[in-house]
């Protein structure tokens, strides 16, 4: 038995009364061709997959159809649970559903090492989880890849390189520990209801070791200060952290601005801060 016999998602939504709730950022994907494309992009065949926010289960079904060994799905909207129970019944032993807020879950208790993470999440939750996943104490992390849906503009911030308007704290954190790539865009009309902007699928794979040595908390301190006043020269924006002396210790031009620094230079600043 496999999930091919499940009813179309439109029927699932109607029969379980899953009208999308704005407060939970619900924009559902109903086209199984699209969710299967996302599942293939996540390269999950034979792996355990952690899916956050399965909703009525469009991506969940695609992950199972594309060969996930097992899916662990976390959903905070209890209305969606019966629809997910139907999927679990169609795929015996392969889907485990956890009713919880993913932001509060201690994943180290749930995820076996090597788990692939895949999600179509509301933008604010997605960014908060991305930061949580990138801020793992130890590196490489437990997860083998992240395949996530974001608003196009957020996706551009994640992959941005120095010199552009999108380059910021998220780009430094993501680029320091992962290789991040936009795989493809998803038109707003693919969602029910459609969000206001285009979305993109981003895939992040962890580097074996961060791009340059630094303590995460010091890297966060320097990027927060530098990008908090991104139009100012670093000697001004980093004043509270040591200003010119700190920049000199790191070998960085004090008249440079945040968006001109490479990730390796931010790591040098973080090391200078902890020295
Ligand atoms: N994955 C489904 C799809 O692609 O059609 C649903 C996507 S919808 C954009 C986001 C889903 O995440 C909703 O089902 C919502 O209830 C759930 N969600 C929102 N915040 C969450 C959180 N903090 N923890 C777990 N699930 C959450």
């Amino acid at each position: 038995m496999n999930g091919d016999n499940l009813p179309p998602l439109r029927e699932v939504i109607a029969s379980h009364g899953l009208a999308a709730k704005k407060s939970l950022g619900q924009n559902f994907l109903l086209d199984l061709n699209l969710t299967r494309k996302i599942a293939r992009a996540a390269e999950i065949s034979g792996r355990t997959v952690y899916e956050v926010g399965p909703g009525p289960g469009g991506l969940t079904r695609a992950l199972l159809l594309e060969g996930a060994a097992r899916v662990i799905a976390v959903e905070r909207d209890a209305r969606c649970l019966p629809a997910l129970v139907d999927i679990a019944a169609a795929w015996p032993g392969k889907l485990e559903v956890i009713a919880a807020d993913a932001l509060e879950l201690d994943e180290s208790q749930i995820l076996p090492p090597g788990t692939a993470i895949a999600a179509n999440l509301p933008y604010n939750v997605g960014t908060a989880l991305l930061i949580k996943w990138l801020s793992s104490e130890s590196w490489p992390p437990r997860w083998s890849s992240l395949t996530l849906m974001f608003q196009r503009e957020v996706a551009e911030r994640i992959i941005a390189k120095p010199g552009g308007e999108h380059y910021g704290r998220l780009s430094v954190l993501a680029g320091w520990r992962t290789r991040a790539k936009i795989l493809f865009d998803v038109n707003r009309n693919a969602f029910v209801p459609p969000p206001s902007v285009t979305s993109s699928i981003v895939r992040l794979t962890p580097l074996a070791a961060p791009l340059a040595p630094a303590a995460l908390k010091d890297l966060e301190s320097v990027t927060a200060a530098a990008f908090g006043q991104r139009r100012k020269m670093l000697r001004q924006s980093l004043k509270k952290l040591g200003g010119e002396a700190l920049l000199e210790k790191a070998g960085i031009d004090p008249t440079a601005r945040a968006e001109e620094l490479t990730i390796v230079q931010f790591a040098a600043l973080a090391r200078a801060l902890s020295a």
Side-chain angles (χ1 to χ4, degrees):
M1 173 94 180
N2 69 44
D4 283 336
N5 301 327
L6 289 162
L9 283 154
R10 250 176 228 290
E11 268 177 42
V12 172
I13 287 173
S15 63
H16 291 287
L18 300 180
K21 273 195 190 169
K22 215 175 171 178
S23 60
L24 286 171
Q26 292 181 335
N27 302 94
F28 299 134
L29 292 174
L30 306 190
D31 177 358
L32 206 50
N33 289 320
L34 174 59
T35 51
R36 287 187 77 159
K37 183 178 173 188
I38 297 169
R40 282 194 298 276
E43 295 178 12
I44 43 78
S45 185
R47 285 192 182 273
T48 295
V49 184
Y50 180 55
E51 188 196 353
V52 185
L59 182 56
T60 321
R61 284 161 63 164
L63 292 166
L64 290 162
L65 285 166
E66 293 297 334
R70 190 171 151 229
V71 177
I72 304 168
V74 180
E75 174 57 62
R76 69 176 288 192
D77 182 358
R79 295 180 312 154
C80 298
L81 301 179
L84 297 168
V85 166
D86 292 346
I87 302 175
W91 295 87
K94 292 217 161 187
L95 172 62
E96 181 189 337
V97 180
I98 302 173
D101 179 341
L103 288 168
E104 297 186 352
L105 217 53
D106 177 3
E107 288 146 3
S108 64
Q109 303 300 315
I110 308 169
L111 305 187
T115 298
I117 299 182
N120 167 26
L121 274 169
Y123 137 77
N124 56 341
V125 180
T127 308
L129 281 171
L130 174 61
I131 292 170
K132 177 178 163 189
W133 290 326
L134 292 175
S135 305
S136 159
E137 278 287 312
S138 57
W139 204 264
R142 299 180 77 76
W143 46 268
S144 58
S145 65
L146 305 173
T147 307
L148 308 170
M149 181 89 77
F150 287 101
Q151 290 182 354
R152 173 84 204 181
E153 183 267 333
V154 179
E156 278 167 1
R157 279 170 39 208
I158 296 168
I159 64 151
K161 302 282 177 252
E165 55 169 328
H166 295 294
Y167 186 59
R169 290 172 70 181
L170 202 51
S171 338
V172 173
L173 181 59
W176 181 55
R177 286 187 144 177
T178 71
R179 188 170 302 110
K181 223 168 118 176
I182 295 182
L183 296 186
F184 51 87
D185 288 342
V186 180
N187 190 284
R188 53 188 286 277
N189 293 318
F191 298 86
V192 177
S196 53
V197 294
T198 300
S199 298
S200 304
I201 292 288
V202 181
R203 185 170 158 87
L204 301 99
T205 40
L207 298 173
L211 210 57
L216 176 63
K217 73 169 188 8
D218 296 323
L219 188 66
E220 280 170 347
S221 301
V222 291
T223 55
F227 287 107
Q229 296 180 290
R230 60 186 294 143
R231 309 226 173 281
K232 297 221 165 120
M233 291 181 190
L234 291 167
R235 68 174 172 219
Q236 181 63 30
S237 57
L238 298 184
K239 210 163 195 164
K240 285 194 183 132
L241 299 180
E244 292 216 18
L246 179 81
L247 287 151
E248 197 177 314
K249 211 189 294 174
I252 292 165
D253 176 1
T255 66
R257 290 176 170 79
E259 67 184 35
E260 297 164 33
L261 291 203
T262 63
I263 295 171
V264 169
Q265 286 176 308
F266 274 113
L269 270 175
R271 290 197 304 276
L273 184 65
S274 57

